[in-house]
Amino acid sequence: MEFSDLIRTGRAQAKLLRGPEAPPLRGTLCLTGHHLLLSPGPQATSELWLLLLRSVDSIEKRVASDSGTITLRCKDLRVLQLEIEGVEASLDIARSIEALSSLESVITSFPFFYRPKGLRLGDAWHFHPPERYYKRVARETNAWRLSEVNEDFSVCPSYPRAVIVPRSVDDGALARSARFRQGGRFPVLSYHHAPSGTVLVRSSQPLTGPQKRRCAEDEELLRAVLAGARPGARGFIVDTRSSQAAKQARMTGGGTEAKTAYPGWKRLHRPLERGQPLQESFVRLVEACGDPQQSTDSWLCRLEGCCWLAHVKEALSTACLAAQGMEREGACILVHGAEGTDSTLLVTSLAQLILDPLSRTMAGFQELVEREWIQAGHPFQLRCAHSAFSHARPKHEAPTFLLFLDCVWQLGRQFPLSLEFGEGLLLALFEHAYASPFGTFLCNSEKERCLCEVRTRTHSLWSGLNQPKEQRKLRNPLYAPNPLAIWPSVELQSLRLWQASLSVLLLLRPISALDPPT
């Protein structure tokens, strides 16, 4: 199907309302396959207004006798209103936006057509390969190796081609361990903590099932993890599900690691919300922030009731638990939930920010996001298909990555000198994860990105963000390298609402009402 088949009316006269702080724009509204444009005309002083259609989350339309109003609610939480001359033109444009903003084909999305000046295809895609992090690990220890057992993605479709595994475990054992883990996500290295000689490992749940099955190769792999650390090291398995949820999973084929099968490892349950409950929490947060008519008491009650800051607290608390186990107790840490693609990555990435000074640099944080979220198989296309305004509520959508960015912002607020990047980078990642002209967050896995030729046919977000002009805006001017771990306070009274991510909704709220209840 051609884009032109979905455009019922391509041009109309319109007025754009962008919020209380921006003046309205009048001009000619044009619709293309990927964008909505408003040209103010040759006599106007304002520039061309442009909106990527993929950023539209929901559309509302109303008609009067000779005009129509379209309200666009965007994935970055902007709310835009278009007043369009002509009822038929208004309805046609609304239907066209609905169709074009919800196309499911990856290869017809705008990143495959975007060709910015000054950037070349292929630039920056090579910045953060798994081999780069392995070289750092290899300088610190010889207990690990880079395996290409997943070169054709047949062992684990959501892992990258190369993963870091214990040197003493061969590829055949890795493949058999993968068959014992949900989705083939066998334990792989996430982070090596050189000061303590311990490691952070991630996986999915073991498929023990009601028969309490075992896998000798999986047990061998986790023994090798401990053997590769300092002598006498023990391990903690941080399960991001409740003990009750883990028991229920066993009845449907999942489960947990049995104590007798994995000596030296102790299991800890730290339940983190994911999936639909997390999405609903975000929706309630946005609804509370977008209601300017409520009293301050009502606003604070709704903020507490949405539980978003409670999710931030639990995520940071679990990451601190993993980090403390490594640095203060000299223990190895394995993190998993069920699939290992959501709360698992949230914990491992935050734990590294707490412990690793390199992860807190501009380049190191980009590498962390690339390695622990994109290459690690977080399904961005599923999780970020909609934001908080969509009327659809598919169970696969969840703002897990946004929760991670919020937690990083909390770290930056509590340690304003320790992060080389500022809030602008976090806001850019929020925006681009949901809708972007770059290909970095496309698809759900490296396998899908290879099939769609994303690396050769689209530009990397990192190439855009690493331009000198952008770097100057994104850097933290207060940054001073801190070689120590940063231990955040995770009590609710120490956490704050990330106002910048919700700024377009908070413009009408009194400043005194923006702090959560203590």
Side-chain angles (χ1 to χ4, degrees):
M1 177 181 291
E2 298 290 335
F3 290 127
S4 58
D5 297 334
L6 301 176
I7 300 175
R8 298 166 178 254
T9 296
R11 181 173 299 187
Q13 295 303 305
K15 180 173 74 171
L16 171 67
L17 304 176
R18 296 174 289 174
E21 290 194 341
L25 286 179
R26 297 177 184 273
T28 302
L29 183 71
C30 299
L31 190 63
T32 73
H34 296 111
H35 289 93
L36 194 62
L37 304 91
L38 185 70
S39 176
Q43 306 303 320
T45 57
S46 54
E47 297 179 352
L48 179 74
W49 176 83
L50 188 71
L51 177 71
L52 184 63
L53 290 175
R54 192 69 183 174
S55 67
V56 174
D57 205 27
S58 72
I59 304 172
E60 297 174 8
K61 47 187 179 288
R62 300 190 308 273
V63 295
S65 58
D66 58 352
S67 64
T69 300
I70 300 175
T71 301
L72 303 177
R73 300 183 186 275
C74 301
K75 295 175 183 177
D76 62 1
L77 307 184
R78 286 179 295 167
V79 179
L80 308 169
Q81 188 169 299
L82 289 165
E83 296 179 358
I84 301 173
E85 296 179 5
V87 172
E88 186 175 350
S90 300
L91 294 175
D92 284 345
I93 288 174
R95 295 187 188 107
S96 300
I97 294 174
E98 286 176 334
L100 291 167
S101 64
S102 58
L103 292 175
E104 295 184 358
S105 171
V106 172
I107 60 174
T108 60
S109 60
F110 183 58
F112 285 85
F113 300 84
Y114 183 50
R115 297 295 179 264
K117 291 182 179 179
L119 299 182
R120 295 182 303 173
L121 284 176
D123 283 357
W125 281 113
H126 62 283
F127 277 10
H128 311 294
E131 296 82 1
R132 177 172 177 168
Y133 183 66
Y134 172 68
K135 289 179 181 178
R136 175 182 165 186
V137 173
R139 289 193 298 267
E140 300 168 346
T141 175
N142 64 355
W144 296 80
R145 68 183 180 90
L146 192 69
S147 170
E148 295 185 351
V149 65
N150 198 44
E151 185 176 13
D152 59 356
F153 304 107
S154 60
V155 173
C156 177
S158 62
Y159 272 173
R161 282 194 167 102
V163 291
I164 305 174
V165 298
R167 185 174 297 278
S168 61
V169 180
D170 62 36
D171 285 354
L174 296 177
R176 288 186 286 274
S177 171
R179 290 195 286 271
F180 184 65
R181 295 276 174 173
Q182 181 167 338
R185 295 178 69 87
F186 57 92
V188 298
L189 181 74
S190 179
Y191 170 61
H192 176 256
H193 187 236
S196 66
T198 58
V199 292
L200 182 64
V201 182
R202 50 176 160 77
S203 71
S204 60
Q205 67 174 340
L207 302 178
T208 54
Q211 291 80 29
K212 298 183 178 180
R213 291 187 295 269
R214 294 177 60 173
C215 174
E217 291 78 12
D218 193 76
E219 296 166 17
E220 173 195 351
L221 204 166
L222 288 189
R223 282 197 303 271
V225 169
L226 295 181
R230 62 182 183 83
R234 55 180 177 149
F236 290 104
I237 299 171
V238 179
D239 193 325
T240 60
R241 305 166 293 178
S242 66
S243 57
Q244 184 62 32
K247 289 177 183 177
Q248 292 174 348
R250 191 170 66 202
M251 302 311 296
T252 57
T256 58
E257 294 82 357
K259 294 180 181 179
T260 55
Y262 298 88
W265 290 90
K266 180 181 179 181
R267 188 170 68 252
L268 304 171
H269 289 279
R270 296 300 297 264
L272 299 177
E273 286 290 7
R274 58 189 184 87
Q276 201 161 5
L278 189 61
Q279 177 73 10
E280 291 173 356
S281 174
F282 180 48
V283 169
R284 292 198 302 272
L285 171 66
V286 170
E287 288 174 348
C289 293
D291 183 359
Q293 304 302 322
Q294 63 191 326
S295 67
T296 297
D297 288 343
S298 175
W299 145 248
L300 293 175
C301 183
R302 291 178 70 179
L303 175 61
E304 185 176 16
C306 77
C307 298
W308 181 259
L309 286 176
H311 298 319
V312 172
K313 167 186 166 65
E314 291 303 320
L316 284 171
S317 177
T318 305
C320 285
L321 175 71
Q324 288 170 354
M326 299 175 70
E327 177 161 287
R328 297 181 177 177
E329 299 190 33
C332 296
I333 306 293
L334 167 64
V335 183
H336 73 66
E339 297 90 351
T341 57
D342 291 280
S343 56
T344 297
L345 308 182
L346 176 64
V347 173
T348 59
S349 52
L350 288 174
Q352 291 178 63
L353 273 171
I354 291 169
L355 291 175
D356 182 21
L358 288 178
S359 293
R360 303 194 290 266
T361 65
M362 180 74 77
F365 184 70
Q366 292 180 15
E367 180 182 317
L368 181 72
V369 170
E370 181 75 33
R371 177 167 45 85
E372 287 297 295
W373 288 91
I374 298 168
Q375 295 173 8
H378 181 64
F380 279 98
Q381 190 170 348
L382 289 174
R383 298 292 183 265
C384 300
H386 292 286
S387 183
F389 292 127
S390 174
H391 301 300
R393 291 287 183 267
K395 63 179 182 180
H396 54 68
E397 293 173 358
T400 314
F401 186 65
L402 176 59
L403 179 60
F404 164 70
L405 297 176
D406 197 325
C407 291
V408 177
W409 179 82
Q410 304 288 342
L411 289 173
R413 193 189 68 83
Q414 293 189 28
F415 300 92
L417 308 182
S418 295
L419 275 59
E420 187 181 16
F421 51 90
E423 183 178 56
L425 177 59
L426 304 179
L427 292 171
L429 293 177
F430 169 33
E431 176 186 346
H432 286 279
Y434 280 90
S436 176
F438 298 95
T440 299
F441 291 109
L442 287 178
C443 304
N444 298 305
S445 64
E446 285 295 283
K447 178 181 179 179
E448 291 185 12
R449 282 185 278 275
C450 285
L451 291 173
C452 294
E453 300 178 309
V454 168
R455 291 182 180 273
T456 58
R457 297 178 57 191
T458 73
H459 288 280
S460 167
L461 172 62
W462 311 127
S463 64
L465 296 183
N466 287 328
Q467 296 298 302
K469 182 180 178 180
E470 293 297 316
Q471 286 281 292
R472 286 192 292 271
K473 292 189 294 184
L474 300 177
R475 289 187 184 278
N476 173 14
L478 303 177
Y479 174 66
N482 178 4
L484 304 176
I486 54 174
W487 300 104
S489 172
V490 298
E491 296 304 318
L492 277 177
Q493 57 264 36
S494 300
L495 304 177
R496 292 292 181 268
L497 191 66
W498 184 15
Q499 294 180 30
S501 67
L502 302 161
S503 60
V504 292
L505 302 172
L506 294 170
L507 290 174
L508 301 179
R509 188 157 307 288
I511 296 298
S512 60
L514 295 180
D515 284 339
T518 58

